[in-house]
Amino acid sequence: MVKKLKELTEDTELANAVRSSAQQIWQAGLGAFAKAQEEGGRVFSRLVQEGTQFQKRAEDKVADVSGTVGKLADGVGRQASGSWDKLEQVFEERVARALATIGVPTQHDIAALHAQIDALSRQVAALSAKAAPAVKPKAAKPAVKAAVARAPAKPAARTAPRAAAKAVSKPAARPAAKKKAPAA
């Protein structure tokens, strides 16, 4: 029985040691919880600040990247526009060359022809005006005299530009080729 008493004493000491240890662990847990509650507000505030700073840095990076991409897009747009302008110019030059090759007159050529026609029309009108007073009808009524005096000027003014235009558009006739006499 002494043995049993000794075992019990040892068991109670062991139980007290375990209780004491468990009590200390419990108190350490409560202390950690209290400390976490105290510092939890500060930690949360710190986390909010760090999150705000991170968001600002991310926005700055996005702004930098979008600015760079925008500049790159502008550069590509300018290059494409320049390429289209060059392509358009090359196309216009080739079309103009092809039209010139087949004999289609340019706008400049047509304007020059119009100027020549206008000049010839003025010359014909001036010549017709000088020739009209020379013709005097014999005995005609005054109203008929005016109509007769104007009549020759109008047909001449109408036909002269056409004839001048035909003369300009037709090439000059070539002289006939001379035949060589056969050598005797």
Side-chain angles (χ1 to χ4, degrees):
M1 189 134 164
V2 174
K3 271 188 176 179
K4 283 189 179 182
L5 281 177
K6 280 187 184 178
E7 285 178 16
L8 277 177
T9 352
E10 288 178 10
D11 284 343
T12 55
E13 286 178 14
L14 180 62
N16 286 339
V18 169
R19 264 192 223 122
S20 171
S21 187
Q23 186 70 29
Q24 288 176 350
I25 291 172
W26 174 254
Q27 288 172 347
L30 287 177
F33 180 74
K35 192 153 190 125
Q37 269 188 331
E38 285 178 18
E39 293 186 18
R42 284 182 264 164
V43 169
F44 182 77
S45 297
R46 214 174 316 132
L47 289 174
V48 168
Q49 282 179 338
E50 288 177 12
T52 304
Q53 291 172 356
F54 180 76
Q55 183 178 0
K56 286 179 184 177
R57 284 189 303 229
E59 288 172 353
D60 291 343
K61 292 286 184 183
V62 167
D64 289 345
V65 168
S66 67
T68 303
V69 168
K71 290 177 186 175
L72 182 63
D74 288 343
V76 168
R78 281 191 214 112
Q79 285 179 342
S81 175
S83 296
W84 279 111
D85 291 343
K86 288 178 186 176
L87 181 64
E88 182 180 3
Q89 183 180 4
V90 167
F91 180 75
E92 287 176 358
E93 288 173 0
R94 288 187 180 174
V95 168
R97 250 187 289 147
L99 290 174
T101 301
I102 61 174
V104 176
T106 64
Q107 188 176 6
H108 179 69
D109 295 338
I110 293 172
L113 287 174
H114 280 290
Q116 283 180 337
I117 290 170
D118 290 341
L120 289 173
S121 297
R122 284 192 295 272
Q123 288 177 354
V124 168
L127 290 173
S128 296
K130 289 180 184 177
V135 177
K136 292 185 181 180
K138 292 186 177 174
K141 293 181 182 176
V144 175
K145 283 184 181 180
V148 171
R150 277 185 263 140
K154 284 188 178 179
R158 286 185 186 154
T159 58
R162 290 183 189 149
K166 287 182 181 178
V168 170
S169 64
K170 291 183 179 177
R174 291 188 197 170
K178 295 181 182 178
K179 291 185 177 179
K180 291 185 180 180

